[in-house]
Amino acid sequence: MVYQNILSEVKERILYITINRENKLNALNKATLAELAHAIAFASSNEEVRGVLLTGAGEKAFVAGADISEFSDYNIEQGMLLAREGQANVFDAIENCPKPVVAAVNGFALGGGLELAMACHMRIASENAKLGLPEVTLGLIPGYGGTQRLTQLIGKGKAIEMIVTADMISAEQAEKIGLVNYVVPQSELIGKAEELLNKIKLRAPLAVASAIKAINASLTEGLNGFNVEIEEFGRCFGTADFKEGTVAFLEKRKASFVGK
């Protein structure tokens, strides 16, 4: 796929994805979502990629929301299809990506933009970032998993408050309630995300993937997270990386993992 709305580049085993619609505050339209789905599928299946750094172009917005003009005349069935396809193809795909995905929130993360950040495994925000779910001001609710992931991240009471008031919160407030992992100056944002991913790159890739799968299972209806953990723990014993990790430990050297 030739991308028109995102920039994508692999550098030192990190896939950098930048939503590149700065003049639209990086708003999500159908084409952008399709490109994101393609890029995440690539990251999930490509052995060279050890992590993903997702951000928005410019310094004003990560993603300021969805492109409302595309669905302003939708009916009930079209609205449900929009949410179902978006969740399956993009937001759930990010959450279930076996490679860690870090959102570098470089400004406004509103509506679908905050939902996109919440689907990522970790979030780092610049000091100027503003986060919120303003959908009720449009007569809607979040449709890309926002009601579920926000509740999981910050608890029911705070999630209801943010969603039904539609208030934006600062990066500092977001860190305080556990919505973002770190807040840093704008100039240090990408560097902090790279710092996290570079640390993870040194760990066993298959074990990292298993950890993500087991953690996600704890929040997935119909799955027993403890059983998933047992299964993934066991699978790790069948990997070359397990053998390398244990031998390196016994030999008092740093392990060199290959993801096998």
Side-chain angles (χ1 to χ4, degrees), residues 98-119:
K99 318 296 174 66
V101 184
V102 176
V105 181
N106 54 307
F108 289 109
L110 304 177
L114 180 53
E115 291 178 294
L116 185 64
M118 290 192 295

Side-chain angles (χ1 to χ4, degrees), residues 192-209:
K192 183 63 177 177
E194 289 172 334
E195 177 188 320
L196 265 179
L197 288 168
N198 285 331
K199 184 181 293 185
I200 296 167
K201 280 184 345 188
L202 300 176
R203 315 311 181 202
L206 298 180
V208 169

Side-chain angles (χ1 to χ4, degrees), residues 17 21 49 57 65 70 98 113 126 148 166 176 179 202-203 212 254:
I17 302 174
R21 304 184 75 218
V49 175
E70 287 192 336
S126 58
Q148 306 303 297
K176 184 177 180 180
L179 185 51
L202 300 176
R203 315 311 181 202
I212 291 171
K254 289 185 178 180

Side-chain angles (χ1 to χ4, degrees), residues 13-43:
R13 312 202 78 168
I14 297 173
L15 174 61
Y16 291 75
I17 302 174
T18 303
I19 300 169
N20 192 34
R21 304 184 75 218
E22 188 175 357
N23 62 333
K24 299 288 187 181
L25 296 180
N26 302 319
L28 297 175
N29 59 5
K30 291 180 183 177
T32 303
L33 289 170
E35 291 176 18
L36 281 171
H38 186 273
I40 293 300
F42 167 80

Side-chain angles (χ1 to χ4, degrees), residues 55-82:
T55 193
E59 297 186 352
K60 289 184 178 180
F62 172 71
V63 170
D67 193 332
I68 298 166
S69 64
E70 287 192 336
F71 57 78
S72 59
D73 61 348
Y74 275 19
N75 60 29
I76 293 172
E77 289 75 19
Q78 289 171 310
M80 291 178 66
L81 184 62
L82 177 71

Side-chain angles (χ1 to χ4, degrees), residues 39-51:
I40 293 300
F42 167 80
S44 296
S45 62
N46 189 289
E47 292 185 1
E48 181 185 356
V49 175
R50 292 283 181 89

Side-chain angles (χ1 to χ4, degrees), residues 13-260:
R13 312 202 78 168
I14 297 173
L15 174 61
Y16 291 75
I17 302 174
T18 303
I19 300 169
N20 192 34
R21 304 184 75 218
E22 188 175 357
N23 62 333
K24 299 288 187 181
L25 296 180
N26 302 319
L28 297 175
N29 59 5
K30 291 180 183 177
T32 303
L33 289 170
E35 291 176 18
L36 281 171
H38 186 273
I40 293 300
F42 167 80
S44 296
S45 62
N46 189 289
E47 292 185 1
E48 181 185 356
V49 175
R50 292 283 181 89
V52 180
L53 195 163
L54 177 61
T55 193
E59 297 186 352
K60 289 184 178 180
F62 172 71
V63 170
D67 193 332
I68 298 166
S69 64
E70 287 192 336
F71 57 78
S72 59
D73 61 348
Y74 275 19
N75 60 29
I76 293 172
E77 289 75 19
Q78 289 171 310
M80 291 178 66
L81 184 62
L82 177 71
R84 184 175 293 113
E85 289 184 344
Q87 287 192 29
N89 297 336
V90 182
F91 297 82
D92 291 352
I94 291 172
E95 183 172 63
N96 294 314
C97 180
K99 318 296 174 66
V101 184
V102 176
V105 181
N106 54 307
F108 289 109
L110 304 177
L114 180 53
E115 291 178 294
L116 185 64
M118 290 192 295
C120 297
H121 301 123
M122 291 162 281
R123 287 153 294 284
I124 302 168
S126 58
E127 291 173 335
N128 67 310
K130 300 288 185 183
L131 303 90
L133 295 171
E135 284 86 349
V136 295
T137 66
L138 300 172
L140 292 171
I141 65 169
Y144 289 141
T147 63
Q148 306 303 297
R149 292 191 178 97
L150 187 64
T151 304
Q152 292 166 358
L153 287 165
I154 70 172
K156 181 179 176 181
K158 276 292 184 184
I160 289 177
E161 179 184 348
M162 279 189 65
I163 291 170
V164 302
T165 66
D167 285 345
M168 287 189 295
I169 63 172
S170 67
E172 181 182 4
Q173 290 172 297
E175 184 182 30
K176 184 177 180 180
I177 62 177
L179 185 51
V180 302
N181 297 65
Y182 301 98
V183 176
V184 297
Q186 177 82 253
S187 61
E188 299 175 16
L189 180 64
I190 299 302
K192 183 63 177 177
E194 289 172 334
E195 177 188 320
L196 265 179
L197 288 168
N198 285 331
K199 184 181 293 185
I200 296 167
K201 280 184 345 188
L202 300 176
R203 315 311 181 202
L206 298 180
V208 169
S210 286
I212 291 171
K213 184 175 180 179
I215 292 166
N216 284 344
S218 72
L219 300 168
T220 304
E221 185 178 355
L223 285 181
N224 183 314
F226 292 97
N227 286 339
V228 174
E229 179 182 288
I230 290 167
E231 292 167 2
E232 292 302 313
F233 177 76
R235 286 194 179 99
C236 288
F237 281 81
T239 67
D241 280 349
F242 166 70
K243 294 178 176 62
E244 165 63 13
T246 51
V247 169
F249 177 81
L250 294 171
E251 294 179 351
K252 298 181 179 180
R253 62 173 173 82
K254 289 185 178 180
S256 179
F257 297 115
V258 296
K260 300 291 185 181

